[in-house]
Amino acid sequence: MPRALIALAIGAFAIGSTEFIVIGLLPQIAAGVGATVPAMGLLITGYAIGVVIGAPTLTALSSVLSTRQTLMALMGVFVVGNTLSALAPSYSVLMAARVLTALAHGSFFGVGAIAARRAVAPEKATRAISMMFLGLTISNVIGVPAATWLGQHIGWRSIFAGIAGLGIVTAVALHRWLPDDDIRIDLRSELGAFRRKQVWFGLGITTVGFGSLFAVYSYISPILTTLAGVPQGGVTIVLVLFGLGTTAGALAGGWLGDRWGMKAVAGGLFVIALLMAAFTVTSHHAVTATLTLVLFGLVGFALGPIVQNRIIEAAGAGGSLVSAANQGAFNVANAIGAAGGAYVIKVGYGYAGTMWVAAGLAAAGCLMVLYSLTLVGRRVTKTAIADRVLVDNRAG
């Protein structure tokens, strides 16, 4: 594996750790800055907003920098944000620090996906992106649980400081292992990519299809304890198993994407719809609920690298801005899925309602992929017919 992919994976691990660590240490952080737990929940919202804003903005502003310089600069923003989080004397300062940190998130993954593709042969592009994303999934399996445990024993400020240090390690690794290709972003080409239908289909598929993941994952703990009868202490074990499933999925997704492309996404979203429909039944037993969630993580996280690679291909010459925008779309999917789940719970459908929301979003995403593939097929057919007519005319 090229060392450039290792550097990108380290950065993804650091970003994944800082994104979700607030969930694990929420009571401790709230006490540290004198805020209520509900107010602390807004830190998660603030981070998501920062990703959506920062993904296209910082990518566009980096047009004067090379790919390596851009990624190192983004890690600089990341380090500053986490350092301020570690030192934050108040809730307002911590909120500002979290938003600042989030600004680098989407752009790093967007530009990083481009760098990952360049590090390998074209036929291995999706696998390269999946290796970078692997750092993100591992952060959920190892990074966040470990940081939560350490934070409870040595203090949450030390964790943010440690993550800032990991950002410095990433910057050094990028400098040493990522070739400086001196490729600059052409803003005209980047913006022109948004005129392509397949780009918007890709963003729509991410927003709708991946909303299915968050409709259930946002409520996974109460689903396990209330419906499946899993004791509170056993939830962590289930989450670790779920995380192992997502890690295996991230690895498998690279191979599936390079072999089958968006057909694998259509099949995967269809399977997710079936799994979530089945989950309304299997969620009432600890073993079957755990098995369903592991399969859910395996299939769901296999699809991300495939869609990311496809949207870069659809962009043509301008891929960095579109790639970053797709990271913003993932966060919009998070909001849509969580909000949909909250609504059905509120109106009385209970936690089983979140599963039907997930199934519906996955089915809608599957239909969008199939329609997108149909459009591509029609375009290829028209091109082939036009070429055949041209050859016949020349022969005549």
Short mmCIF file of all heavy atoms in Angstrom, two decimals, residues 31-68:
data_model
loop_
_atom_site.label_atom_id
_atom_site.label_comp_id
_atom_site.label_asym_id
_atom_site.label_seq_id
_atom_site.Cartn_x
_atom_site.Cartn_y
_atom_site.Cartn_z
N ALA A 31 -19.61 19.68 32.37
CA ALA A 31 -19.19 20.14 33.70
C ALA A 31 -17.96 21.04 33.60
O ALA A 31 -17.81 22.01 34.37
CB ALA A 31 -18.89 18.93 34.59
N GLY A 32 -17.08 20.75 32.66
CA GLY A 32 -15.84 21.51 32.53
C GLY A 32 -16.03 22.94 32.06
O GLY A 32 -15.22 23.81 32.38
N VAL A 33 -17.07 23.18 31.25
CA VAL A 33 -17.30 24.54 30.73
C VAL A 33 -18.57 25.16 31.32
O VAL A 33 -19.01 26.22 30.86
CB VAL A 33 -17.38 24.53 29.18
CG1 VAL A 33 -16.04 24.13 28.59
CG2 VAL A 33 -18.49 23.61 28.68
N GLY A 34 -19.16 24.50 32.30
CA GLY A 34 -20.32 25.05 32.97
C GLY A 34 -21.55 25.16 32.10
O GLY A 34 -22.29 26.14 32.16
N ALA A 35 -21.82 24.11 31.31
CA ALA A 35 -22.99 24.11 30.41
C ALA A 35 -23.88 22.93 30.73
O ALA A 35 -23.45 21.95 31.36
CB ALA A 35 -22.55 24.07 28.95
N THR A 36 -25.12 23.00 30.31
CA THR A 36 -26.05 21.89 30.50
C THR A 36 -25.80 20.83 29.43
O THR A 36 -25.25 21.12 28.36
CB THR A 36 -27.50 22.37 30.40
OG1 THR A 36 -27.75 22.85 29.07
CG2 THR A 36 -27.79 23.47 31.40
N VAL A 37 -26.23 19.61 29.71
CA VAL A 37 -26.06 18.53 28.75
C VAL A 37 -26.83 18.80 27.45
O VAL A 37 -26.30 18.60 26.35
CB VAL A 37 -26.48 17.18 29.38
CG1 VAL A 37 -26.54 16.09 28.32
CG2 VAL A 37 -25.51 16.78 30.47
N PRO A 38 -28.10 19.28 27.52
CA PRO A 38 -28.79 19.62 26.26
C PRO A 38 -28.05 20.67 25.43
O PRO A 38 -28.00 20.57 24.20
CB PRO A 38 -30.15 20.16 26.74
CG PRO A 38 -30.36 19.49 28.05
CD PRO A 38 -29.01 19.41 28.68
N ALA A 39 -27.47 21.67 26.11
CA ALA A 39 -26.71 22.70 25.38
C ALA A 39 -25.50 22.08 24.71
O ALA A 39 -25.11 22.47 23.60
CB ALA A 39 -26.30 23.81 26.33
N MET A 40 -24.90 21.09 25.37
CA MET A 40 -23.73 20.43 24.80
C MET A 40 -24.09 19.68 23.52
O MET A 40 -23.26 19.51 22.64
CB MET A 40 -23.13 19.47 25.82
CG MET A 40 -22.51 20.16 27.03
SD MET A 40 -21.15 21.25 26.59
CE MET A 40 -20.00 20.07 25.92
N GLY A 41 -25.34 19.20 23.46
CA GLY A 41 -25.76 18.51 22.25
C GLY A 41 -25.66 19.38 21.02
O GLY A 41 -25.48 18.89 19.90
N LEU A 42 -25.77 20.70 21.21
CA LEU A 42 -25.66 21.63 20.09
C LEU A 42 -24.24 21.65 19.51
O LEU A 42 -24.04 22.10 18.38
CB LEU A 42 -26.06 23.04 20.53
CG LEU A 42 -27.55 23.22 20.88
CD1 LEU A 42 -27.80 24.65 21.38
CD2 LEU A 42 -28.43 22.92 19.68
N LEU A 43 -23.26 21.18 20.28
CA LEU A 43 -21.90 21.09 19.75
C LEU A 43 -21.86 20.15 18.55
O LEU A 43 -21.10 20.35 17.60
CB LEU A 43 -20.93 20.59 20.82
CG LEU A 43 -20.58 21.55 21.96
CD1 LEU A 43 -19.66 20.85 22.96
CD2 LEU A 43 -19.92 22.82 21.43
N ILE A 44 -22.68 19.10 18.61
CA ILE A 44 -22.75 18.14 17.49
C ILE A 44 -23.36 18.80 16.27
O ILE A 44 -22.87 18.64 15.14
CB ILE A 44 -23.56 16.90 17.91
CG1 ILE A 44 -22.91 16.24 19.14
CG2 ILE A 44 -23.67 15.91 16.76
CD1 ILE A 44 -23.74 15.15 19.77
N THR A 45 -24.42 19.59 16.51
CA THR A 45 -25.05 20.31 15.41
C THR A 45 -24.09 21.34 14.82
O THR A 45 -23.98 21.49 13.60
CB THR A 45 -26.33 21.03 15.91
OG1 THR A 45 -27.21 20.07 16.48
CG2 THR A 45 -27.03 21.75 14.77
N GLY A 46 -23.40 22.06 15.71
CA GLY A 46 -22.44 23.07 15.25
C GLY A 46 -21.34 22.46 14.41
O GLY A 46 -20.90 23.04 13.40
N TYR A 47 -20.88 21.28 14.80
CA TYR A 47 -19.84 20.61 14.04
C TYR A 47 -20.34 20.25 12.64
O TYR A 47 -19.65 20.46 11.64
CB TYR A 47 -19.38 19.34 14.77
CG TYR A 47 -18.14 18.71 14.19
CD1 TYR A 47 -16.88 18.99 14.70
CD2 TYR A 47 -18.22 17.82 13.11
CE1 TYR A 47 -15.74 18.42 14.16
CE2 TYR A 47 -17.09 17.24 12.56
CZ TYR A 47 -15.86 17.53 13.09
OH TYR A 47 -14.73 16.98 12.53
N ALA A 48 -21.57 19.71 12.58
CA ALA A 48 -22.14 19.34 11.28
C ALA A 48 -22.29 20.55 10.37
O ALA A 48 -22.00 20.48 9.16
CB ALA A 48 -23.50 18.67 11.49
N ILE A 49 -22.72 21.68 10.94
CA ILE A 49 -22.84 22.91 10.14
C ILE A 49 -21.47 23.34 9.64
O ILE A 49 -21.32 23.77 8.49
CB ILE A 49 -23.49 24.02 10.98
CG1 ILE A 49 -24.95 23.66 11.29
CG2 ILE A 49 -23.42 25.37 10.26
CD1 ILE A 49 -25.63 24.61 12.25
N GLY A 50 -20.47 23.22 10.49
CA GLY A 50 -19.11 23.58 10.09
C GLY A 50 -18.61 22.75 8.92
O GLY A 50 -17.94 23.25 8.02
N VAL A 51 -18.95 21.45 8.92
CA VAL A 51 -18.55 20.58 7.81
C VAL A 51 -19.20 21.02 6.51
O VAL A 51 -18.54 21.12 5.46
CB VAL A 51 -18.91 19.10 8.12
CG1 VAL A 51 -18.63 18.23 6.90
CG2 VAL A 51 -18.12 18.60 9.32
N VAL A 52 -20.51 21.28 6.57
CA VAL A 52 -21.25 21.67 5.37
C VAL A 52 -20.70 22.98 4.80
O VAL A 52 -20.55 23.13 3.58
CB VAL A 52 -22.75 21.80 5.68
CG1 VAL A 52 -23.51 22.35 4.47
CG2 VAL A 52 -23.33 20.45 6.09
N ILE A 53 -20.38 23.94 5.66
CA ILE A 53 -19.87 25.23 5.21
C ILE A 53 -18.42 25.12 4.73
O ILE A 53 -18.03 25.64 3.69
CB ILE A 53 -19.97 26.28 6.32
CG1 ILE A 53 -21.43 26.56 6.66
CG2 ILE A 53 -19.25 27.58 5.93
CD1 ILE A 53 -21.61 27.47 7.86
N GLY A 54 -17.62 24.41 5.51
CA GLY A 54 -16.19 24.36 5.23
C GLY A 54 -15.81 23.53 4.02
O GLY A 54 -14.82 23.83 3.34
N ALA A 55 -16.58 22.47 3.73
CA ALA A 55 -16.22 21.56 2.64
C ALA A 55 -16.01 22.29 1.31
O ALA A 55 -14.92 22.21 0.72
CB ALA A 55 -17.26 20.46 2.50
N PRO A 56 -17.00 23.04 0.82
CA PRO A 56 -16.76 23.74 -0.45
C PRO A 56 -15.93 25.01 -0.29
O PRO A 56 -15.15 25.35 -1.18
CB PRO A 56 -18.18 24.06 -0.93
CG PRO A 56 -18.98 24.17 0.32
CD PRO A 56 -18.39 23.20 1.29
N THR A 57 -16.09 25.69 0.84
CA THR A 57 -15.43 26.99 1.01
C THR A 57 -13.91 26.87 1.07
O THR A 57 -13.18 27.53 0.31
CB THR A 57 -15.93 27.69 2.29
OG1 THR A 57 -17.35 27.81 2.23
CG2 THR A 57 -15.31 29.08 2.41
N LEU A 58 -13.40 26.02 1.97
CA LEU A 58 -11.95 25.88 2.11
C LEU A 58 -11.33 25.22 0.87
O LEU A 58 -10.20 25.52 0.51
CB LEU A 58 -11.60 25.07 3.35
CG LEU A 58 -11.90 25.73 4.70
CD1 LEU A 58 -11.23 24.96 5.83
CD2 LEU A 58 -11.42 27.17 4.72
N THR A 59 -12.09 24.33 0.23
CA THR A 59 -11.59 23.71 -1.00
C THR A 59 -11.40 24.77 -2.09
O THR A 59 -10.39 24.78 -2.80
CB THR A 59 -12.55 22.62 -1.49
OG1 THR A 59 -12.73 21.65 -0.46
CG2 THR A 59 -12.01 21.94 -2.74
N ALA A 60 -12.36 25.67 -2.21
CA ALA A 60 -12.26 26.75 -3.20
C ALA A 60 -11.11 27.70 -2.86
O ALA A 60 -10.36 28.14 -3.74
CB ALA A 60 -13.57 27.52 -3.27
N LEU A 61 -10.96 28.02 -1.59
CA LEU A 61 -9.90 28.95 -1.17
C LEU A 61 -8.50 28.37 -1.36
O LEU A 61 -7.52 29.10 -1.43
CB LEU A 61 -10.10 29.34 0.30
CG LEU A 61 -11.31 30.22 0.62
CD1 LEU A 61 -11.44 30.44 2.12
CD2 LEU A 61 -11.21 31.56 -0.11
N SER A 62 -8.42 27.04 -1.46
CA SER A 62 -7.12 26.39 -1.60
C SER A 62 -6.64 26.32 -3.04
O SER A 62 -5.66 25.62 -3.33
CB SER A 62 -7.18 24.97 -1.01
OG SER A 62 -8.03 24.15 -1.80
N SER A 63 -7.29 27.03 -3.93
CA SER A 63 -6.95 26.95 -5.36
C SER A 63 -5.53 27.42 -5.65
O SER A 63 -4.97 27.09 -6.70
CB SER A 63 -7.95 27.76 -6.19
OG SER A 63 -7.95 29.12 -5.80
N VAL A 64 -4.93 28.20 -4.77
CA VAL A 64 -3.56 28.69 -4.98
C VAL A 64 -2.54 27.70 -4.44
O VAL A 64 -1.33 27.93 -4.58
CB VAL A 64 -3.36 30.06 -4.31
CG1 VAL A 64 -4.28 31.10 -4.94
CG2 VAL A 64 -3.60 29.99 -2.81
N LEU A 65 -2.97 26.62 -3.83
CA LEU A 65 -2.07 25.65 -3.22
C LEU A 65 -2.08 24.34 -3.99
O LEU A 65 -3.04 24.00 -4.67
CB LEU A 65 -2.48 25.37 -1.76
CG LEU A 65 -2.55 26.57 -0.81
CD1 LEU A 65 -3.08 26.11 0.55
CD2 LEU A 65 -1.20 27.24 -0.67
N SER A 66 -1.00 23.57 -3.85
CA SER A 66 -0.96 22.23 -4.42
C SER A 66 -1.77 21.30 -3.53
O SER A 66 -2.21 21.68 -2.43
CB SER A 66 0.48 21.73 -4.51
OG SER A 66 1.02 21.53 -3.20
N THR A 67 -1.98 20.08 -3.98
CA THR A 67 -2.77 19.12 -3.20
C THR A 67 -2.14 18.87 -1.84
O THR A 67 -2.82 18.90 -0.81
CB THR A 67 -2.89 17.79 -3.97
OG1 THR A 67 -3.49 18.04 -5.24
CG2 THR A 67 -3.75 16.80 -3.19
N ARG A 68 -0.83 18.64 -1.81
CA ARG A 68 -0.16 18.38 -0.53
C ARG A 68 -0.22 19.59 0.38
O ARG A 68 -0.49 19.47 1.57
CB ARG A 68 1.30 17.96 -0.76
CG ARG A 68 2.01 17.52 0.53
CD ARG A 68 3.41 17.01 0.27
NE ARG A 68 4.32 18.10 -0.07
CZ ARG A 68 5.62 17.93 -0.29
NH1 ARG A 68 6.14 16.70 -0.24
NH2 ARG A 68 6.40 18.95 -0.59
#
